[in-house]
Every structure is written in C-alpha cells, then in structure tokens.
Amino acid sequence: MHLLHLFDLSLKLRESAAALEWNGAEYTFGDLERRSNRAADALRRQGFAKGDRLCVQLSNCIELIDLYLACVKLGVIFVPINVLYREREIAHIVNDAEPRLVVTAENLASLLEGGTSETRPDLQLDGGTPAAIIYTSGTTGASKGAVLTHDNFAANAVNLVSCWQISDRDRLFLALPLFHIHALGNGLHTWLLSGCRMRLVERFDHRSATAELLDFAPTLFFGVPTVYVRLLDTSPDDARAIGESMRLFVSGSAPLPPHVLERFRELFGHTILERYGMTETFMNTSNPYVGERRAGTVGFPLPGISIRIEGGELFVRGPNVFCGYWRRPDATAAAFTGDGFFRTGDMATISEDGYITLVGRKSDLIISGGFNIYPREIEELLLEQPGVSEAAVVGVADEVRGEVPVAYLVGEFDEEQLVRVCREQLASFKVPRRFVKVDSIPRTALGKV
Ligand code: MCA
Ligand code: AMP
C-alpha cells in the first residue's frame, strides 16, 4: 500500500482539522498537504525521481515533516541522519546511500524556496517500494542501511493505532527525534493515520518538559526510559495534573527499569506501557492496552507478527520486517533464517502466560539515553590514535541514561588527545566517559573481549 492512502485519512478527509502545533503556530492537515506538495515540487526541480535518496540531517521541525511527506509522494527514499553525528559518521552514510542531495539547516530554506506548485505529484507505487533507509547495527564498526518499505511503515502504524486505541481525539506530545524509528515510525505515522493533534518540539529538554506537558495537556506520550527517569523529578502536584489529562504513556528503545515504572505510577497515576522494537522490524511486541502491563517485560507479539525463540535468540517474521540492508546482499542473507525469520540478536524468554522478557543481546550494543552505540566503531577510532595498541569499549550502568560507554586501553597514550579526537569525530553520546589504562584486555580464545 502506498502510504498516502493511509495519510489521506487525515490529509484529505480531515483537511480543515487542527493537525500540528509547532513553534507556537498551528497547522491543519490541509496546510500540511499543500506544504508537502511545494516541498515535492522543490525536490522535483532538483531532479529527484522515484528511487532517489534524500539525506536529511535536521532536528525536529515542520520542514522535516514536509520533506518526509514529499518523499512519500514522489517515491523518493528518505534517509534521516542523527543531528548529533559528526563528519566521520555522516560521511559513511552519505557515501553508502549516494543521495542526490543532503539537506541540513544550512541549505533547507534555499531548497524549499524552489517549490511553488501546490498540486500533488501523480504517482502510483506499490507497498514494496522503499520509503526510508535508516542506518543501524554497526557490529562491524560501520552501520548498514535498513531498507524500510511503505508496507512496513503501514503495518506498524495500523497495529499501533489499533492496539493502543489511538484516535482523532488524542493529543500527542512528540519530543523524540524524528531521525529514528521511534518518533518517525510510531509518532509521526500514528499521528497521520489517526488524525490526532500533535505538538512537536525540537527535542526533549528535561528543564522545560513539565511546563510543556502542563501547557499542552497531551493524552498520548512516547518516551525512552531516560525521558521517564527525567520526569521522576516532576513535583507531585504537576505530575498529578499531567497524569489527569493523559491517556497513555509508552516506553521503548531500551529496557525500562521496573523501579522507574513503579515510581512513575506513584507520581503520575499511570502504568507506562512498554513495547519492543528495532529499526529493522518496527514494533514487534507490546504490553497490552487492557490487562496487566508487566514490569520488566515487553508483552506479546503484535498482530500478524510471529515470534520464535531458538538458542535463546528471538526471531521475528511479519509485514513489519524490513526487506534487507541497502546494497548488502550478504548481510541481508545472514540476517534471515531459511524460512524468512529475522534474527534480532536479542536474547529473550517467554513466561507460561506468554509475556516476553528481553534478557540481553548476542552482539555488543550499548544503549545510552535511547541512542545506540556500537563499541566497535569507537574502538576502531581509538586504535587509529598514536600509542593505543588495544582498545575495548564497554557499557557501564548509569542511573539516567541506562548505560554510558567507558574505554579500556593498552598502550602509552595522551588522554586529552583521545578526548579531543572523540569529541571531534563522534556524536557526543558516543564519547567514552572514562579512559582506563590497563596492562592487557582479557579475551576469549576467539579474541572476544
Ligand atoms: C540529546 N542531545 C540532543 C538531542 N538529544 N541534541 C540535539 N537533539 C537531540 N534530539 C544531546 C544534548 O545536546 C547533550 O549533548 C546530550 O545529548 C544530553 O542531553 P540532556 O539534555 O542531558 O539530555 P537527557 O535529559 O539526558 O535526555 C536525552 C534524551 C536523548 C532526550 C533522552 O537521549 C534522546 O532524545 N533520546 C531518544 C533517542 C531515540 O529516540 N531513540 C530511538 C531509537 P552534550 O552531551 O554535547 O551536552 S529507535 C529504536 O531504538 C527502536 C526502533 C525502538 O524500539 O524504538
Ligand atoms: P535500534 O536498532 O537502534 O532500533 O535498536 C533496537 C534495539 O533496542 C533492540 O534490538 C533492543 O535490543 C533494544 N530495545 C528496543 N526496545 C526495547 C525494550 N523495550 N527493552 C529492551 N530493549 C529494547
């Protein structure tokens, strides 16, 4: 299914309804339809055609939505890039995706100025057409592009709207970054499908979050665990007031510690609903909307999604699962079993009454504040530095961010220089908090730390 058929339930059917609050202004779905037609016109004038890639490195803003919708309308593949990424990280994505254009805050305005036509492009396409490529899972140091189709986005949105009872009566407060699946796949798509009102903010800022929530009085909120840990600092009166208007708090992207769920319930009067997803698969499992939301678990498979646990690893198959890694047939083949199940790399157990619990990961992955860090990528950079002969980066528990990276190094090195290089070349959340000098790094016979 072309995603537009879902979006038209709002863009066309609810044309004059309030759709978006952004930066103090209000927009209807009709406004978004016209704005994205102009953005599509601007892209077409740059020579964009179906199948071309557009890289976008922007924090949350209305123009990012315009560009995404323009891509959907043109069959152009949207490639979002984390705004915190530095040159080295961006270069890898741009070299791999080979976009026709990279949009940043610098060239955004001049690009959009070139779009004047408000007529929607006339384009038929089927659901297997790629809608986005999102870079992820760099167990080899370099990340791979997960190719996500219109059908993948549609299957996820339909599941969540139905299972979480999202409707046009909802008010969604979206503060997570639109360059990841959490906000893009779950937030933006359920908003456009349900036709609810959304207030978008540039980013989640714990200093202003309470005031924003009180002011907007949302019914629906998506957060990563760090966001919920931050919200535990809300005063009891404010928390009660926010809880009164709220219908549903959802958490995902990293494990929500049970004590956070408990404390949050006492303060806000709501049991956070935890679900589990991946960039390659969108949402796989969710705690129930009605019934027990069990702390420490990620609930049950969502509709149409099959789950199997083999050798402790969770395998998943369904219309939500991506079609492969961009230009990486070997990696794609290795990621699937013979009967079409995707190997998630997540280790899981299932209780007798069917609740799934994630118990670890097969490969090294540090999740800090909901952002993924692949130790290998940082180790490779550290090993390029003078004096460093061995490097191992590991995740250390952190109250707020869940985990933070720490580097263990063998050799004679200048710590200040390492900090400087990491700051220059890595997103801030990847910079090791500490550099620990050790005599040797313990490894297994296979060389694994
Ligand atoms: C954080 N920073 C940002 C942003 N978020 N900068 C620009 N835009 C952002 N969106 C930077 C800050 O500038 C600061 O940098 C550092 O991160 C920490 O900021 P702080 O204000 O202390 O933040 P916090 O209170 O600790 O909260 C951080 C956060 C952020 C808001 C929770 O980590 C975040 O937005 N995480 C969500 C990531 C996400 O959406 N993941 C989903 C992946 P400096 O250190 O230089 O001062 S998708 C996924 O995992 C799957 C599909 C799934 O299941 O959802
Ligand atoms: P990404 O590929 O960046 O989207 O990250 C996906 C990974 O995040 C998954 O493979 C899990 O390891 C982790 N993840 C997502 N949701 C949860 C959750 N609710 N609990 C624990 N881990 C999660």
Side-chain angles (χ1 to χ4, degrees), residues 32 48 68 70 72 134 144 150 168 171 187 223 277 291 307 348 377 449:
L32 297 176
F48 273 91
Y68 180 69
V72 166
I134 303 196
K144 303 186 284 286
H150 282 245
D168 59 4
R171 297 168 64 83
I307 282 218
E377 184 190 357
V449 174

Side-chain angles (χ1 to χ4, degrees), residues 210-277:
T210 301
E212 289 263 17
L213 290 168
L214 286 169
D215 180 59
F216 183 59
T219 62
L220 180 60
F221 182 81
F222 297 127
V224 298
T226 300
V227 163
Y228 290 107
V229 171
R230 291 292 197 195
L231 288 176
L232 293 181
D233 291 336
T234 311
S235 76
D237 284 350
D238 287 349
R240 207 174 310 117
I242 292 165
E244 266 164 24
S245 64
M246 196 67 77
R247 182 177 67 76
L248 180 65
F249 288 99
V250 183
S251 177
S253 305
L256 181 70
H259 72 269
V260 174
L261 181 133
E262 288 305 329
R263 181 82 191 96
F264 196 87
R265 178 158 51 206
E266 287 162 18
L267 255 182
F268 287 82
H270 283 262
T271 306
I272 300 168
L273 183 152
E274 185 170 5
R275 56 52 174 189
Y276 153 64

Side-chain angles (χ1 to χ4, degrees), residues 359-378:
V359 293
R361 276 193 61 88
K362 261 183 102 175
S363 56
D364 296 332
L365 169 67
I366 302 168
I367 306 183
S368 190
F371 287 123
N372 286 4
I373 303 170
Y374 298 94
R376 184 67 184 272
E377 184 190 357
I378 305 168

Side-chain angles (χ1 to χ4, degrees), residues 393-411:
V393 172
V394 299
V396 171
D398 181 84
E399 279 279 311
V400 176
R401 304 251 158 73
E403 291 178 284
V404 290
V406 168
Y408 289 86
L409 302 164
V410 178

